[in-house]
Amino acid sequence: MAVAMKDKQKILVVGGGIVGAALAWSLARRGAAVTLLERERPAAGSTSRAFAWINVSHGQPEPYRQLRHLAVEEWRCIEPQLPGLSIDWCGALTWTAAPGDTERFVAEHAAAGYGVRLLAAEEIRRLEPGLAEPPPVAAHAAGEGALDPIAATEALLAAARRAGATILTDVAATALRLAGERVVGVDTDKGPLEADCVVLAAGVGSTALAAGAGIALPVEASPSILVSLGRQDRRLLNGIVCGPELEARQAGDGRLFAAEDPHPDRTPEAIAEGALAALRRIVRDSGSVRVERVQVGLRPMPADGLPILGFAPGRSGLYLAAMHAGITLGPVAARLAAGEILDGGEAPELSGCRIARFGS
């Protein structure tokens, strides 16, 4: 007697940034019937304006800190599986104005088993000879890296397509469709779509969609500035450098980037010029570097800075995926979320990421 095949779960992923792309791939390769909706083009939002440093963090609570550690390893695991994805595992050098804070950073992560070392000035000079005046101490994480966020998103979407996912661009989700307390699909500017589960991964755009279904998603737009400093014909930096005055990296193809936070009294262009001035002070032979492009991104920032991942309370069929550091966290969050969506249960690694922590 033939046994009927169980129908595939129909999953709609809303958002075509790196988090949505990773979710589409993770769900499709697990056998779900996945459709991803992107209102513009892939990586058109904050993903394209990301500094794209794959890293751990400082001063964060468990289990989030461990999730960041897992995230770096996740990128290493999936890199061979994604044609077109190239990660520059160049390492990262980080220091603070107070050497004691840098020492505590190293001790904290070393105790958790993360590969970070405390370097003195002479070792720093050998590692980054382009620094005009090395700090007295710095943390060096040799296993960290960076990537091209647009190319990475496209590689994830290509893998999702190969696994059977449908990718719809220039299709805007306008509202969640409800049947009683259950989310059963989305309305779009091209017509309605039905699903067994809707995953909101639209960055700051998820807030309005969730609100339409009675879910208060505590996520705000957090501006960031990406400064493109052109393609340099010589190596100014070997890895990522992050100090009190400058956060910069040079890609393998010579492109130089700096990351900055906005200031209410300064234009993005003025902030970019300040980053350029800091680079010229800190990095040797950088006098010919010029600001090429200034981009402002709107990062989805949960109210407490930690990711929001999990099913929405009181609305079955709706899964929330909102986070800062989507470049770092995207693939590991997607793999764990796919397990929760398709298998049921809760991933212990995501226990600190539930929206319930904000109360009713």
Side-chain angles (χ1 to χ4, degrees), residues 8-15 19-37 74 156 159-167 195-201 309 311 317 319-321 330-344:
K8 290 184 175 183
Q9 289 194 54
K10 294 173 61 177
I11 313 292
L12 282 174
V13 177
V14 181
V19 174
L23 281 159
W25 180 48
S26 291
L27 288 160
R29 65 176 174 162
R30 288 284 315 275
V34 177
T35 300
L36 179 142
L37 309 180
E74 189 80 12
L156 286 162
R161 288 189 186 94
R162 290 193 296 272
T166 299
I167 311 300
D196 299 311
C197 180
V198 174
V199 184
L200 286 186
L309 287 155
F311 285 101
Y319 194 93
L320 307 173
V332 72
R335 175 174 60 81
L336 295 170
E340 294 188 333
I341 294 166
L342 299 178
D343 301 332

Side-chain angles (χ1 to χ4, degrees):
M1 179 178 178
V3 178
M5 294 289 289
K6 183 180 178 181
D7 290 338
K8 290 184 175 183
Q9 289 194 54
K10 294 173 61 177
I11 313 292
L12 282 174
V13 177
V14 181
I18 199 162
V19 174
L23 281 159
W25 180 48
S26 291
L27 288 160
R29 65 176 174 162
R30 288 284 315 275
V34 177
T35 300
L36 179 142
L37 309 180
E38 166 53 45
R39 66 183 307 149
E40 296 182 46
R41 64 188 185 282
S46 61
T47 294
S48 66
R49 297 163 176 83
F51 186 62
W53 176 9
I54 301 171
N55 68 345
V56 300
S57 58
H58 181 45
Q60 298 288 359
E62 293 289 5
Y64 178 56
R65 183 171 59 191
Q66 186 59 32
L67 183 64
R68 296 278 295 230
H69 292 181
L70 291 173
V72 177
E73 293 307 311
E74 189 80 12
W75 274 114
R76 288 189 176 276
C77 289
I78 69 171
E79 185 178 10
Q81 304 174 46
L82 296 174
L85 175 64
S86 177
I87 301 175
D88 184 10
W89 296 108
C90 55
L93 198 66
T94 306
W95 68 94
T96 56
D101 290 339
T102 303
E103 292 167 358
R104 281 188 288 275
F105 172 85
V106 171
E108 173 186 302
H109 287 291
Y114 190 66
V116 60
R117 294 195 305 125
L118 186 69
L119 303 186
E122 189 57 37
E123 291 177 286
I124 297 168
R125 192 173 287 110
R126 288 196 295 268
L127 190 69
E128 288 289 356
L131 295 179
E133 188 61 42
V137 294
H140 182 233
E144 295 183 353
L147 48 72
D148 180 326
I150 298 175
T153 301
E154 291 173 346
L156 286 162
L157 289 175
R161 288 189 186 94
R162 290 193 296 272
T166 299
I167 311 300
L168 302 179
T169 58
D170 297 313
V171 178
T174 56
L176 298 174
R177 295 176 63 82
L178 302 175
E181 297 299 312
R182 182 171 183 81
V183 173
V184 295
V186 297
D187 288 325
T188 80
D189 57 355
K190 305 293 193 299
L193 292 170
E194 295 182 350
D196 299 311
C197 180
V198 174
V199 184
L200 286 186
V204 295
S206 292
T207 304
L209 289 168
I215 302 295
L217 188 60
V219 173
E220 295 185 353
S222 173
S224 64
I225 298 172
L226 179 67
V227 184
S228 300
L229 297 164
R231 196 182 305 271
Q232 309 304 312
D233 58 6
R234 62 194 180 283
R235 180 57 54 179
L236 299 178
L237 296 172
N238 291 325
I240 300 155
V241 297
C242 181
E245 295 184 81
L246 181 69
E247 183 173 325
R249 68 178 181 90
Q250 189 169 7
D253 61 3
R255 290 178 299 160
L256 194 62
F257 299 97
E260 292 288 333
D261 290 322
H263 190 283
D265 299 325
R266 301 174 66 197
T267 66
E269 291 73 21
I271 291 171
E273 290 298 330
L276 176 61
L279 180 83
R280 289 174 174 170
R281 287 193 304 272
I282 293 168
V283 180
R284 301 178 191 276
D285 302 324
S286 57
S288 63
V289 176
R290 298 288 186 272
V291 173
E292 187 177 83
R293 190 180 185 191
V294 183
Q295 295 175 278
V296 179
L298 296 178
R299 301 168 295 189
M301 185 66 72
D304 60 1
L306 306 182
I308 297 173
L309 287 155
F311 285 101
R315 288 291 186 197
S316 59
L318 178 62
Y319 194 93
L320 307 173
M323 68 199 76
H324 171 48
I327 298 294
T328 295
L329 294 173
V332 72
R335 175 174 60 81
L336 295 170
E340 294 188 333
I341 294 166
L342 299 178
D343 301 332
E346 295 188 348
E349 298 92 339
L350 301 182
S351 62
C353 301
R354 309 307 183 188
I355 195 173
R357 70 183 184 270
F358 295 102
S360 60

